[in-house]
Amino acid sequence: MPEDFASSRTPSWFARPAARSWRCAPAPADARDFHASLPGYAPTPLTELPALAAELGVGRVFVKDESSRLGLPAFKALGASWAVRRVLDGRTRGLNGQAADGAGAAAPVTLVTATDGNHGRAVARMSRLFGQRAHVFVGHGVHPEAVAAIEDEGAEVTRVAGPYDEAVRRAAEAAAAPDSVLVQDTAWPGYERIPAWIVEGYATLCAEIDDRLALARAGAPGLVAVPVGVGSLAQAVVTHYRSRRDGRAPALLAVEPENAAGLAASLAAGRPVTVATGGTTMAGLNCGTVSHLAWPVLRDGLDAAVTVTDAESARAAADLASLGVSSGPCGAASLAGVRAALTGAGADGRRAALGLGPASVVVLLSTEGPAANPHTTSDTITST
């Protein structure tokens, strides 16, 4: 783990100094009790890694390890389960004019979604758990093993020749069929309620971090780093920390692949923009458009955004593995992004923008394990 890791390039960097003074309403607390009732629920580990704290020049570093969440290798089950539960509750009550049968239960529904891998598998798993059907649209670039895992959950899978955004469009069209509901983790004008439920579900992850930091007597974090695809998890993170009234507002850092930096481009433009995405081993982050719901929250509440390369993510994943944390390319992006921000040329200015000192506590969200995104990374490391 070389201390000059980021010195070979200047990272793409955006900072907003006023973000820590921005406030919003908190997320509803209902989802956490629901998650606790699910089979196999347990808080995922928050692992302290002193070696990373020494490398990064901060007080303590913790990694939120989402490599096993409700039996799946990524955090997505939190949002999918809560959204599916809300959808089914609504149908039982006659949501959207659907009539429930005499026993008070609606007929089975097909839950439709698009995915880069993890969200689709989570929707498929929750569909099966709750006795429903699932239809998942998969864009190009998703590893065949990830597609097979979705099919193994009993879902119908449709492969799409285009990128993630095209898969979303196709899924939305399919969900217009009778007895179908779109359960998508990105929002656009006119489609906001279900994505908002997914974001609410992710709040459980943040509450678990608070509990574990309290047990570790670490105090409030000084920095939280989160990988960004469409931005729904980042929206949940910003909402959690910017709704606090105790004056302890951490710096919040978004991390994206260089080849799929829709948020960075939007922040630079001051408005939502869509970017053409390229190939990346960080398949779950390979999204060109920021969620309509997430955008204003990220614009106002994020302190900074940084981009990372596949090679940087691969090295981060290998280093985390050597320290006992199982992380895939998307999850390891958090460490890669913090390294890019806190080391190398210009690091003093970036560190100052984040308000970090030698005693600061840093939390890295490792959003998936290697099984979620089974790309090999050795070629990426050696070819750059």
Side-chain angles (χ1 to χ4, degrees), residues 21-384:
S21 64
W22 184 75
R23 292 292 179 269
C24 63
D30 310 34
R32 193 177 189 191
D33 288 342
F34 163 74
H35 288 139
S37 73
L38 290 175
Y41 170 77
T44 54
L46 187 71
T47 304
E48 184 168 9
L49 298 178
L52 291 183
E55 175 195 341
L56 297 170
V58 296
R60 302 175 77 173
V61 171
F62 295 85
V63 178
K64 182 63 166 165
D65 180 358
E66 292 290 311
S67 60
S68 181
R69 169 65 79 174
L70 291 168
L72 295 175
F75 75 101
K76 293 283 189 174
L78 290 174
S81 60
W82 180 239
V84 169
R85 180 70 271 162
R86 294 295 302 269
V87 166
L88 297 180
D89 285 348
R91 284 179 61 81
T92 299
R93 293 191 300 268
L95 180 66
N96 295 331
Q98 298 283 352
D101 64 23
V109 66
T110 299
L111 301 171
V112 184
T113 195
T115 190
D116 274 332
N118 294 327
H119 173 71
R121 186 176 178 187
V123 169
R125 171 69 63 89
M126 295 306 154
S127 299
R128 182 161 59 89
L129 178 66
F130 294 123
Q132 309 299 313
R133 301 179 296 268
H135 186 183
V136 181
F137 287 76
V138 180
H140 71 69
V142 178
H143 196 279
E145 290 181 24
V147 177
I150 297 170
E151 292 174 326
D152 288 345
E153 300 290 349
E156 176 186 356
V157 172
T158 297
R159 293 169 175 81
V160 177
Y164 171 80
D165 286 359
E166 176 63 13
V168 171
R169 187 187 68 79
R170 291 278 304 278
E173 290 177 349
D179 295 317
S180 296
V181 177
L182 184 67
V183 183
Q184 197 58 57
D185 56 347
T186 188
W188 52 87
Y191 181 72
E192 298 174 331
R193 177 172 51 182
I194 291 173
W197 289 338
I198 290 173
V199 173
E200 289 177 9
Y202 295 155
T204 294
L205 184 155
C206 299
E208 290 175 358
I209 291 173
D210 288 346
D211 291 347
R212 295 303 170 119
L213 287 178
L215 287 173
R217 298 183 178 180
L223 172 67
V224 179
V226 54
V228 170
V230 296
S232 294
L233 175 61
Q235 179 186 351
V237 170
V238 172
T239 299
H240 180 78
Y241 288 106
R242 296 295 182 245
S243 62
R244 300 181 67 150
R245 304 302 187 205
D246 57 11
R248 298 184 298 173
L252 303 176
L253 175 68
V255 185
E256 293 180 287
E258 275 195 331
N259 291 342
L263 175 61
S266 298
L267 291 170
R271 57 181 176 81
V273 298
T274 295
V275 300
T277 59
T280 174
T281 55
M282 292 172 273
L285 307 181
N286 196 15
C287 308
T289 304
V290 178
S291 169
H292 169 70
L293 279 180
W295 164 246
V297 176
L298 304 186
R299 177 197 62 204
D300 295 339
L302 281 172
D303 290 82
V306 69
T307 62
V308 298
T309 66
D310 284 358
E312 289 167 343
S313 172
R315 288 190 175 102
D319 289 342
L320 288 170
S322 73
L323 296 170
V325 175
S326 180
S327 186
C330 297
S334 292
L335 173 56
V338 171
R339 279 174 161 166
L342 302 188
T343 66
D348 288 346
R350 294 189 294 271
R351 189 180 294 262
L354 296 171
L356 297 183
S360 297
V361 174
V362 173
V363 175
L364 310 175
L365 303 191
S366 178
T367 51
E368 64 171 29
N373 182 22
H375 284 278
T376 58
T377 55
S378 57
D379 291 343
T380 305
I381 294 174
T382 57
S383 65
T384 57

